[in-house]
């Protein structure tokens, strides 16, 4: 049984068909990446998995359970955390409150202090700024906060939508290093990236999107060596 | 100086009542971007429920005072839940104007419902509530059993209809049993019902400074409003629900991604707003004991302006805006010549214009209000 299985998914915004019947799987402990040009339907796919959008057709299974019709908060409760495009930071709350709100579904309240410590060792900058309004953080810091929130929720699967967007190269390194580390500790990751080169470096497998369809699928090294993929997405 | 102080006390009292209603407007706006115009009517219904209760039961005074306040608050929050579930939630994904116009409709419905519920027609209002409740029950049964008129999906939870149904039954029941009570109180003979303040509290004047005094009713009014505002601040600033409420102002999708049931947060916001408006209705009825079905229109409108003045969406803004509005209006009443003065013409109703003067000035000088953030384009 796959951790996450998407079957024949079709999603539209009114008359615009953004995702046109795609299928893929994510196995436990994997990093799977979805790559592809702007407007290919990657974010739409993630938003549908986390329940923010409802599909026209198709199914989403999480550990064998059909979650297609569930509302977003139920899907979070089951263990899927979505770090959305544009980060979704609550700019009118403090950094600490942002992290705290991410623990909303957790029953193990006594462990939360411990997890704060742990998250603060991974992201020391957030500790320094914990009582500051999150709106005053830099773009990079907001991205860190967004990932840190998903860690506080403690789900099984993390969906990340372009975590490297708008970050300086050193910060991109930092984010990818952290993702690999989180994955090593057991978290399953579904990663959407514009930066296909970097994504394939840390991913086990990948799917290439083109205007709402999956056009290539394979292990990271297969995709890295595929001539067409190289040409279209890896700059050579 | 002495007149100034007494006017200030009266103004503050008026202001806290406006502030309590304004909080409802601002909180619901913050979370769902909806101006729920029906708060004036919730205020009125709060006063009426308290009126029914105080007339109907005889209990030791302290207990009666607490119940006269709590029962209307609970009833009003049920009404708030029903309002949201029946009128606003189905329109959540629709253009905002639809919900706004619905809010005006809800407000007209409630005031006219109570207005027609006097004298002989009171039973027909009760029957109307029962019919609506019956309709909801049939609807749920129909969907569940026959898949008609819509197909039951996993999201179709009959439990969601429980509160609206129960509150309709409750409202119908209150009207059903109140017929004789209303007749007895000569509701029909006069154009208004009179709140039996003396059953709750014996008015006492406590001298403060020279001729300046404060009444025990005013003290009660301040204690209750301050207490409610403190509880509210705690809830909004220190609890998870409050955090989710504030976060929803910012980005509702992201709140859902934190595992928060956003509809639940919206319900809580409606509960709080309508409970506060209900409390305001009771406090107001104790001070100005004239009850009519349209008594909420003016306070509702003024509280809305107070919320705009403070910066709609801002809780501190609603509190401050309400106080400013109350004090300004009271001073206007004090300054305008009344029928007791030499001119023999009563100019005090003109004080109602103060609210609108304030609105015009705010819209011209600072449209976002005192604490509001300037409008900005969403990126
Ligand atoms: N809210 C919306 N309303 C209408 N159309 C939308 C909406 N969001 C996305 N689309 C359209 O759906 C298609 C897929 O968009 P999506 O955001 O999923 O692409 P993406 O692969 O994430 O692109 P990017 O790499 O630029 O983030 C695009 O054509 C886009 O214009
Ligand atoms: Mg995208």
């Amino acid at each position: 049984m796959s951790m996450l299985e998407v079957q024949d998914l079709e999603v539209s915004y009114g008359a615009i068909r953004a995702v046109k019947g795609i299928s893929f799987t994510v196995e436990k402990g994997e990093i799977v990446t979805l790559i592809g040009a702007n407007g290919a339907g990657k974010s739409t796919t993630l938003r549908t998995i986390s329940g923010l959008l409802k599909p026209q057709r198709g199914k989403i299974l999480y550990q064998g359970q059909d979650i297609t019709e569930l509302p977003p908060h139920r899907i979070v409760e089951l263990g899927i955390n979505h770090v959305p495009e544009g980060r979704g930071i609550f700019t009118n709350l403090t950094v600490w409150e942002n992290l705290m709100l991410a623990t909303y579904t957790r029953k193990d309240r006594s462990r939360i202090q411990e997890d704060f410590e742990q998250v603060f060792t991974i992201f020391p900058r957030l500790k320094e700024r914990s009582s500051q309004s999150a709106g005053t953080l830099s773009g990079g810091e907001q991205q860190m906060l967004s990932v840190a929130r998903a860690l506080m929720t403690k789900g099984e699967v993390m969906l990340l939508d372009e975590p490297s967007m708008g970050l300086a190269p050193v910060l991109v390194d930092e984010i990818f290093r952290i993702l690999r580390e989180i994955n090593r500790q057991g978290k399953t990751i579904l990663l959407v990236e514009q930066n296909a080169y970097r994504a394939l470096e840390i991913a086990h497998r990948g799917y290439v999107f083109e205007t709402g369809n999956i056009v290539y699928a394979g292990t990271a090294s297969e995709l890295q060596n595929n001539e067409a993929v190289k040409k279209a997405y890896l700059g050579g | 100086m002495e007149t100034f102080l007494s006017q200030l006390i009266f103004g503050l009292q008026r202001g806290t009542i406006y502030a309590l209603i304004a909080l409802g407007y601002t909180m619901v706006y913050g979370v769902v971007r909806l101006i729920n115009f029906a708060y004036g009517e919730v205020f009125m219904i709060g006063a009426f429920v308290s009126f029914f209760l105080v007339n109907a039961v005889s209990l030791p005074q302290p207990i009666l005072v607490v119940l006269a306040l709590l029962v209307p608050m609970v009833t009003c929050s049920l009404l708030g839940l029903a309002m949201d579930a029946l009128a606003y939630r189905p329109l959540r994904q629709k253009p905002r104007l639809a919900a706004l116009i619905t809010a005006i409709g809800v407000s007209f419905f409630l005031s006219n419902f109570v207005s027609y519920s006097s004298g002989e027609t009171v039973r027909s209002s009760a029957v109307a509530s029962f019919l609506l409740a019956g309709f909801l029950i049939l609807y749920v049964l129909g969907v569940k059993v026959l898949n008609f008129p819509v197909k039951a999906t996993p999201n179709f939870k009959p439990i969601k209809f429980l509160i609206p149904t129960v509150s309709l039954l409750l409202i119908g029941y209150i009207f059903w049993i109140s017929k004789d009570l209303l007749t007895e109180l000569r509701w029909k003979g006069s154009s208004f019902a009179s709140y039996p303040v003396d059953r709750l509290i014996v008015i006492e004047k406590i001298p403060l400074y020279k001729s300046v005094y404060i009444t025990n009713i005013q003290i009660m009014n301040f204690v209750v409003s301050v207490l409610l505002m403190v509880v509210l601040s705690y809830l909004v600033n220190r609890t998870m629900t409050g955090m989710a409420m504030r976060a929803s102002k910012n980005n509702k999708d992201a709140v859902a991604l934190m595992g928060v049931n956003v509809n639940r947060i919206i319900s809580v916001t409606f509960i709080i707003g309508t409970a506060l408006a209900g409390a305001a209705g009771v406090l107001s009825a104790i001070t100005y004991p004239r009850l009519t079905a349209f008594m909420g229109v003016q306070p509702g409108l003024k509280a809305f302006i107070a919320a705009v003045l403070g910066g709609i969406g801002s809780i501190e803004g609603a509190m401050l805006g309400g106080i400013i509005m109350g004090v300004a209006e009271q001073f206007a009443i004090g300054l305008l010549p009344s029928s007791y003065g030499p001119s023999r013409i009563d100019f005090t109703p003109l004080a109602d214009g103060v609210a609108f003067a304030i609105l015009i000035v705010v819209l011209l000088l600072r449209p976002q209000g005192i604490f509001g953030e300037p409008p900005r384009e969403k990126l």
Side-chain angles (χ1 to χ4, degrees), chain A residues 111-194:
Chain A
R111 299 281 309 275
I112 284 170
Q113 197 46 46
E114 218 172 288
D115 291 331
F116 262 105
E117 298 301 328
Q118 209 187 340
V119 163
F120 283 149
T121 34
I122 306 176
F123 304 105
R125 289 294 278 277
L126 296 183
K127 184 171 190 173
E128 290 164 34
R129 293 179 171 26
S130 66
S131 59
Q132 201 168 310
S133 145
T136 64
L137 295 184
S138 74
E141 288 162 346
Q142 290 193 2
Q143 190 64 64
M144 304 282 177
L145 178 56
S146 191
V147 175
R149 272 195 324 202
L151 289 178
M152 290 301 290
T153 312
K154 282 207 148 172
E156 292 273 319
V157 181
M158 203 186 274
L159 317 177
L160 293 125
D161 201 342
E162 306 204 24
S164 73
M165 186 163 61
L167 299 192
V170 269
L171 280 178
V172 178
D173 286 344
E174 177 77 2
I175 284 271
F176 277 84
R177 188 185 59 73
I178 290 165
L179 291 184
R180 190 178 274 175
E181 180 56 34
I182 295 168
N183 172 251
R184 226 174 255 139
Q185 288 169 10
K187 184 106 52 192
T188 307
I189 292 179
L190 178 58
L191 172 66
V192 163
E193 260 301 332
Q194 282 284 319

Side-chain angles (χ1 to χ4, degrees), chain B residues 196-215:
Chain B
V197 184
D198 46 353
R199 296 191 60 159
L200 280 188
I201 194 165
V202 183
I203 305 175
E204 275 172 48
K205 291 182 178 182
I206 299 147
L208 281 183
Y209 167 78
K210 291 194 187 157
S211 72
V212 183
Y213 65 87
I214 186 167
T215 67

Side-chain angles (χ1 to χ4, degrees), chain A residues 2-230:
Chain A
S2 302
M3 194 65 160
L4 196 63
E5 183 172 351
V6 170
Q7 297 176 348
D8 197 23
L9 195 70
E10 187 180 315
V11 194
S12 306
Y13 298 97
I16 306 164
R17 275 171 80 215
V19 171
K20 303 169 183 167
I22 57 165
S23 303
F24 64 90
T25 58
V26 182
E27 303 301 328
K28 189 173 170 58
E30 272 190 320
I31 299 183
V32 171
T33 182
L34 310 180
I35 55 182
N38 291 115
K42 306 177 300 289
S43 300
T44 303
T45 305
L46 291 197
R47 290 167 60 79
T48 312
I49 295 173
S50 59
L52 293 175
L53 297 173
K54 292 296 164 206
Q56 261 59 48
R57 193 157 57 82
K59 261 191 192 169
I60 300 159
L61 305 180
Y62 172 67
Q63 298 183 344
Q65 182 188 350
D66 186 348
I67 59 167
T68 324
E69 292 294 328
L70 293 182
H73 66 273
R74 291 277 303 120
I75 293 174
V76 178
E77 275 169 27
L78 290 175
I80 299 179
N81 303 147
H82 183 171
V83 179
E85 194 170 26
R87 301 163 188 140
I89 293 298
F90 307 119
T91 50
N92 58 341
L93 267 56
T94 66
V95 169
W96 184 86
E97 285 175 328
N98 266 274
L99 293 168
M100 197 61 188
L101 193 55
T103 67
Y104 194 87
T105 53
R106 284 178 56 179
K107 304 279 177 287
D108 53 340
R109 305 306 301 176
S110 56
R111 299 281 309 275
I112 284 170
Q113 197 46 46
E114 218 172 288
D115 291 331
F116 262 105
E117 298 301 328
Q118 209 187 340
V119 163
F120 283 149
T121 34
I122 306 176
F123 304 105
R125 289 294 278 277
L126 296 183
K127 184 171 190 173
E128 290 164 34
R129 293 179 171 26
S130 66
S131 59
Q132 201 168 310
S133 145
T136 64
L137 295 184
S138 74
E141 288 162 346
Q142 290 193 2
Q143 190 64 64
M144 304 282 177
L145 178 56
S146 191
V147 175
R149 272 195 324 202
L151 289 178
M152 290 301 290
T153 312
K154 282 207 148 172
E156 292 273 319
V157 181
M158 203 186 274
L159 317 177
L160 293 125
D161 201 342
E162 306 204 24
S164 73
M165 186 163 61
L167 299 192
V170 269
L171 280 178
V172 178
D173 286 344
E174 177 77 2
I175 284 271
F176 277 84
R177 188 185 59 73
I178 290 165
L179 291 184
R180 190 178 274 175
E181 180 56 34
I182 295 168
N183 172 251
R184 226 174 255 139
Q185 288 169 10
K187 184 106 52 192
T188 307
I189 292 179
L190 178 58
L191 172 66
V192 163
E193 260 301 332
Q194 282 284 319
N195 193 337
Y197 181 79
R198 303 299 301 267
L200 288 172
E201 266 183 354
I202 65 162
H204 301 103
R205 290 188 303 119
Y207 295 88
V208 181
F209 276 57
E210 236 173 64
T211 57
N213 292 302
I214 291 178
V215 288
Y216 300 105
T219 64
S221 57
E222 278 168 11
L223 291 175
Q224 277 166 330
N225 296 315
N226 179 314
E227 287 306 322
V229 175
K230 261 197 210 167

Side-chain angles (χ1 to χ4, degrees), chain B residues 256-272:
Chain B
L257 291 181
M258 298 296 108
V260 178
N261 181 349
V262 178
N263 273 330
R264 227 209 62 178
I265 298 298
I266 295 173
S267 298
V268 173
T269 316
F270 268 92
I271 291 181
I272 295 175

